[in-house]
Amino acid sequence: MSRSRTAMLAALALVAGASGTALAVVPGDAGIAAVPCTVDYKVQNQWDTGFTANVTVTNNSAAKSSWSVKWAYAGNQRVTSAWNAKVSQSGTAVTAANENYNGTLATGASVSFGFQGSYSGTNAVPATFTLDGVTCNVDDGGGGGPTTPGPGTGSRVDNPYAGAKVYVNPQWSANAAAEPGGSRIANQPTGVWLDRIAAINGAGGKMGLRAHLDEALRQKGSGEIVVQLVIYNLPGRDCSALASNGELGPTEIDKYKTQYIDPIAAILADPKYAGLRIVNAIEIDSLPNLVTNTGSRPTATPQCDVMKANGNYQKGVGYALNKLGDVPNVYNYIDAGHHGWLGWDDNFAPSATVMKEAATTEGATVNDVHGFITNTANYSALKENNFTLNDNVGGKSARESKWIDWNRYVDELSFAQAFRNQLVTSGFNSGIGMLIDTSRNGWGGTARPTGPGATTTIDTYIDGGRYDRRIHVGNWCNQSGAGLGERPQASPAAGIDAYVWMKPPGESDGSSSAIPNTEGKGFDRMCDPTYTGNPRNNYNMSGALPNAPISGHWFSAQFQQLMQNAYPPLS
């Protein structure tokens, strides 16, 4: 799978001919020197007094070890915060300089950063940009270059979510609309979970894959549409939990290939569906287990040791990437855990290495990977604003608090952006994008802090200010107090292709007590509100809601809580 982001701008400059036709100037042409750099400045979100923007700069001149982009506003815009660049402002003049981790900018390479700003009146795009004092041209997205194919061509685009609606599952929508107040979000797009072989053709009264794709064609109309699928049925699935155990035993890799992945690939390859943009979230909560829950670690399980020894997680993921990646309109995003799982030094780089191993086995290559998804079906806050890792109270740093516990990341956005860089370092393509599941990480309502905690101790400071109200960051099942997070949206921050609701709000994580079922799903004590914990949550209470059904089944009480605690709040 080729991945052509805005960096493609480095390979062409658009020169308007006398007739108004855009002519491409390719590398090697004499004309390339006339365009030393290009800048793509896009306002992502805007409200009455503020906005967020993303800036991508492409260097067409000599390679750089550091860089500085400058522009001036015509109005009263002020940059208030930034990511992936050091941004300063004097009057209307803004300077964005590289961070220590992204200063290298090769010839033809691109770098992106983002920021939030305030304004009043108008919010016009700056007219001129410079890179290290040299004036760049501005790409306005209107050139119709190779990253924007027409509808139904089947060619992959830079970001599948850009300029597209996203499929609304009518069955989830009906469940949401049937709840008091649920009509406020019933038209939001959610992921379709193919969590067992029977789900391909439809099971338990749910639509099958073809039925969803046919409905997506109906919803598509004349525009573009993304369909979000969760590929989730590995042998020995979820070796560290019981609620999400699957139907296939640890050694049934051939059955996974021939009875699960192959039929899905055949359906997705049907020319009837070539006009859909199909996003696959590949095997939730699998590969990170091979790093964090094996060997001599206190969190190890015998089941995870088995899966590490037989290699069937890597083989399954590699096979899925290879077969599904052969379909031209498919976009594969590998699951990448979340900050409260992989944010520690011992887990961060090793997990990226395991993901690279999986992406280069069973015929797969890194070109079969369009990106990664974090926080799937989890609760980690998107952005913690009331503290930073650099804060100190009473001589103790924030990292020493019980909540952070020496993690290098405190929220999903910072983790996803940093992990993207690590994945590129580990050998993935530099254009990969990230998705963040925000379906249940809003943490709003009356319990949402409005500022930092008391400075009595570092723990009172962090605990009093954190949005994430879980008892422990390792808690994952039907969490009490959770709320809907940011609504699904494309290109919300640098390196992020979209915020998504991959886990449909209102569908249970697991049952609060043992419930016999034919879906291969066990009972995990982390879903029991009376459970006092294990090494993975440092022996804290589970924080789970009571009276929950088995995973994937509708949980009305959870859905009502998510709406009540939504942040941003529901209107």
Side-chain angles (χ1 to χ4, degrees):
M1 178 186 298
S2 64
R3 175 80 168 172
S4 50
R5 291 199 150 268
T6 314
M8 288 284 298
L9 295 172
L12 72 154
L14 297 178
V15 181
S19 64
T21 303
L23 304 176
V25 183
V26 298
D29 280 348
I32 196 71
V35 187
C37 48
T38 60
V39 171
D40 181 17
Y41 177 109
K42 282 190 171 63
V43 174
Q44 305 288 343
N45 297 287
Q46 184 169 302
W47 54 99
D48 290 346
T49 60
F51 67 102
T52 60
N54 188 69
V55 180
T56 299
V57 57
T58 302
N59 174 36
N60 295 333
S61 57
K64 301 175 181 294
S65 59
S66 63
W67 50 265
S68 175
V69 178
K70 296 184 179 182
W71 68 87
Y73 285 118
N76 60 357
Q77 296 99 322
R78 298 290 303 181
V79 175
T80 55
S81 63
W83 47 92
N84 283 359
K86 299 172 183 175
V87 180
S88 59
Q89 184 168 353
S90 176
T92 60
V94 179
T95 299
N98 64 273
E99 296 280 9
N100 56 11
Y101 56 80
N102 63 356
T104 301
L105 192 56
T107 303
S110 300
V111 66
S112 296
F113 58 91
F115 62 90
Q116 182 167 317
S118 63
Y119 78 100
S120 62
T122 59
N123 184 26
V125 173
T128 304
F129 296 84
T130 64
L131 173 62
D132 295 337
V134 177
T135 300
C136 303
N137 75 311
V138 179
D139 174 70
D140 64 2
T147 63
T148 54
T153 64
S155 300
R156 294 190 182 94
V157 295
D158 167 37
N159 177 358
Y161 291 86
K165 65 176 71 171
V166 186
Y167 172 65
V168 177
N169 179 347
Q171 292 188 307
W172 177 85
S173 181
N175 284 334
E179 294 281 345
S183 60
R184 294 173 293 176
I185 63 165
N187 288 326
Q188 291 290 352
T190 55
V192 173
W193 288 60
L194 302 176
D195 61 356
R196 58 194 193 280
I197 293 168
I200 300 171
N201 291 322
K206 291 191 174 182
M207 297 163 61
L209 177 55
R210 281 194 179 274
H212 282 296
L213 298 178
D214 289 341
E215 171 63 15
L217 288 175
R218 188 193 68 79
Q219 293 183 19
K220 180 179 184 292
S222 60
E224 300 290 347
I225 192 169
V226 171
V227 181
Q228 301 175 126
L229 306 177
V230 179
I231 307 301
Y232 187 54
N233 198 30
L234 274 178
R237 189 179 74 193
D238 209 344
C239 57
S240 66
L242 297 173
S244 48
N245 283 168
E247 64 184 352
L248 301 180
T251 63
E252 293 188 282
I253 184 66
D254 290 338
K255 190 173 182 180
Y256 175 80
K257 293 177 179 179
T258 60
Q259 296 186 34
Y260 181 68
I261 293 299
D262 287 353
I264 293 174
I267 293 172
L268 300 187
D270 188 331
K272 178 181 182 182
Y273 305 123
L276 303 175
R277 298 179 182 179
I278 300 171
V279 165
N280 293 325
I282 304 292
E283 294 298 350
I284 312 307
D285 290 350
S286 60
L287 298 175
N289 276 311
L290 302 181
V291 174
T292 65
N293 296 320
T294 57
S296 60
R297 296 207 181 195
T299 55
T301 71
Q303 295 90 338
C304 289
D305 282 330
V306 167
M307 300 317 299
K308 183 173 183 178
N310 68 24
N312 282 345
Y313 275 8
Q314 291 102 320
K315 293 174 187 175
V317 169
Y319 190 84
L321 291 171
N322 179 21
K323 293 298 182 180
L324 302 176
D326 286 343
V327 183
N329 54 311
V330 159
Y331 302 80
N332 290 324
Y333 290 78
I334 301 175
D335 183 73
H338 55 90
H339 92 274
W341 188 358
L342 303 187
W344 284 272
D345 293 344
D346 289 349
N347 305 340
F348 193 75
S351 293
T353 299
V354 168
M355 291 168 192
K356 171 69 180 313
E357 292 171 358
T360 51
T361 191
E362 295 290 329
T365 74
V366 294
N367 292 328
D368 291 310
V369 181
H370 206 74
F372 293 78
I373 180 169
T374 77
N375 205 47
T376 311
N378 208 265
Y379 298 85
S380 295
L382 182 65
K383 184 75 176 73
E384 293 281 9
N385 294 319
N386 292 331
F387 57 85
T388 72
L389 287 178
N390 299 322
D391 292 347
N392 282 268
V393 173
K396 289 186 176 292
S397 75
R399 292 190 71 202
E400 296 178 77
S401 68
K402 291 179 181 178
W403 174 254
I404 298 174
D405 192 26
W406 299 102
N407 200 318
R408 290 198 180 274
Y409 305 94
V410 300
D411 52 38
E412 274 313 287
L413 182 56
S414 63
F415 167 75
Q417 291 172 326
F419 198 58
R420 178 187 177 280
N421 292 335
Q422 181 63 50
L423 290 160
V424 172
T425 298
S426 299
F428 286 97
N429 294 334
S430 61
I432 55 172
M434 306 296 285
L435 306 177
I436 301 176
D437 187 348
T438 59
S439 59
R440 304 181 303 178
N441 69 347
W443 296 105
T446 57
R448 183 179 176 88
T450 57
T455 55
T456 311
T457 66
I458 192 61
D459 287 324
T460 58
Y461 176 74
I462 298 297
D463 288 341
R466 59 182 169 94
Y467 299 140
D468 188 337
R469 305 313 299 168
R470 284 178 292 177
I471 298 169
H472 187 272
V473 73
N475 288 354
W476 55 267
C477 192
N478 299 324
Q479 290 298 284
S480 177
L484 300 167
E486 288 284 347
R487 312 299 107 85
Q489 55 188 282
S491 307
I496 310 299
D497 280 353
Y499 296 151
V500 298
W501 283 8
M502 200 61 71
K503 172 71 173 182
E507 293 190 2
S508 175
D509 296 323
S511 58
S512 302
S513 58
I515 299 176
N517 66 89
T518 60
E519 300 177 24
K521 296 169 182 175
F523 167 52
D524 195 298
R525 290 296 307 280
M526 285 298 290
C527 300
D528 176 357
T530 69
Y531 185 48
T532 55
N534 56 42
R536 285 184 290 281
N537 81 333
N538 203 23
Y539 296 101
N540 282 280
M541 298 297 291
S542 70
L545 291 169
N547 304 315
I550 63 172
S551 61
H553 288 224
W554 190 255
F555 189 10
S556 177
Q558 183 206 60
F559 185 79
Q560 288 294 331
Q561 174 193 262
L562 292 173
M563 290 195 297
Q564 179 180 346
N565 295 331
Y567 193 89
L570 298 178
S571 56

